[in-house]
């Protein structure tokens, strides 16, 4: 699957790129570049932060991953789901979840003179795991 994604995007297959992509695809945790680096360095001890950042940029440019920014968060997160979708951010544990809410009815419409090409939203609250602890 990873090899197919890289081949389809005409990206060179490297061990570093494959491990970074594997990590993002496996976890569904929307990791930061630092989280990715800290996990990949355990597998590839000689990898640098610059290599991680450069690969993230290449994967994003090839539309294999998506960079997401949540207001109030300090760091960019990376998502393996590149199709338009929304997120839920837990205010207690900080986890970010994909949520399935359809907002496609806004796409390609003219709202108050603005042409809408894409819709990305996030919701904040307490996740179901943290709610159990209350």
């Amino acid at each position: 699957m990873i090899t197919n994604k890289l081949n389809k995007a005409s990206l060179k297959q490297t061990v570093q790129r494959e491990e970074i992509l594997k990590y993002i695809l496996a976890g569904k945790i929307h990791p930061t570049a630092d989280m990715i680096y800290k996990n990949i360095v355990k597998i590839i001890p000689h990898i640098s932060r610059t290599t991680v950042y450069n690969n993230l940029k290449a994967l994003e440019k090839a539309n294999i991953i998506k960079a997401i920014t949540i207001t109030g968060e300090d760091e960019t997160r990376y998502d393996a789901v590149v199709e338009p979708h929304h997120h839920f951010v837990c205010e207690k544990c900080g986890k970010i979840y994909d949520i399935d809410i359809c907002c496609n009815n806004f796409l390609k419409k003219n709202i108050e003179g603005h042409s809408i090409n894409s819709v990305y939203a996030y919701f904040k609250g307490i996740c179901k795991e943290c709610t159990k602890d209350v």
Side-chain angles (χ1 to χ4, degrees):
M1 181 170 124
I2 291 171
T3 303
N4 290 342
K5 284 183 178 280
L6 294 173
N7 286 339
K8 226 177 193 180
S10 300
L11 283 178
K12 183 179 177 184
Q13 289 178 241
T14 65
V15 172
Q16 296 90 339
R17 190 168 285 158
E18 289 175 7
E19 288 299 329
I20 290 167
L21 186 54
K22 189 188 310 181
Y23 180 75
I24 295 170
L25 288 168
K28 292 269 188 192
I29 61 169
H30 304 83
T32 64
D34 194 48
M35 291 166 70
I36 295 165
Y37 171 76
K38 286 178 180 175
N39 281 277
I40 300 302
V41 78
K42 295 173 188 173
I43 301 163
I44 309 169
H46 61 275
I47 195 167
S48 69
R49 288 182 192 275
T50 302
T51 299
V52 171
Y53 280 102
N54 289 340
N55 277 287
L56 289 171
K57 286 178 188 174
L59 292 167
E60 183 182 10
K61 186 176 180 181
N63 201 37
I64 295 174
I65 62 170
K66 191 93 169 154
I68 60 171
T69 304
I70 305 292
T71 303
E73 299 287 318
D74 292 337
E75 297 180 289
T76 299
R77 301 289 190 122
Y78 294 91
D79 196 345
V81 180
V82 295
E83 294 78 24
H85 65 286
H86 308 291
H87 296 97
F88 176 85
V89 181
C90 180
E91 294 173 316
K92 189 170 181 181
C93 68
K95 288 183 182 173
I96 300 173
Y97 299 88
D98 290 338
I99 55 174
D100 188 22
I101 296 177
C102 182
C103 292
N104 289 339
N105 57 338
F106 291 111
L107 295 178
K108 305 294 182 197
K109 291 194 177 181
N110 187 306
I111 300 174
E112 296 182 14
H114 308 291
S115 178
I116 309 299
N117 295 322
S118 61
V119 177
Y120 294 94
Y122 62 89
F123 301 82
K124 286 188 173 183
I126 307 298
C127 72
K128 60 185 175 185
E129 294 302 314
C130 289
T131 304
K132 291 178 187 176
D133 297 338
V134 178

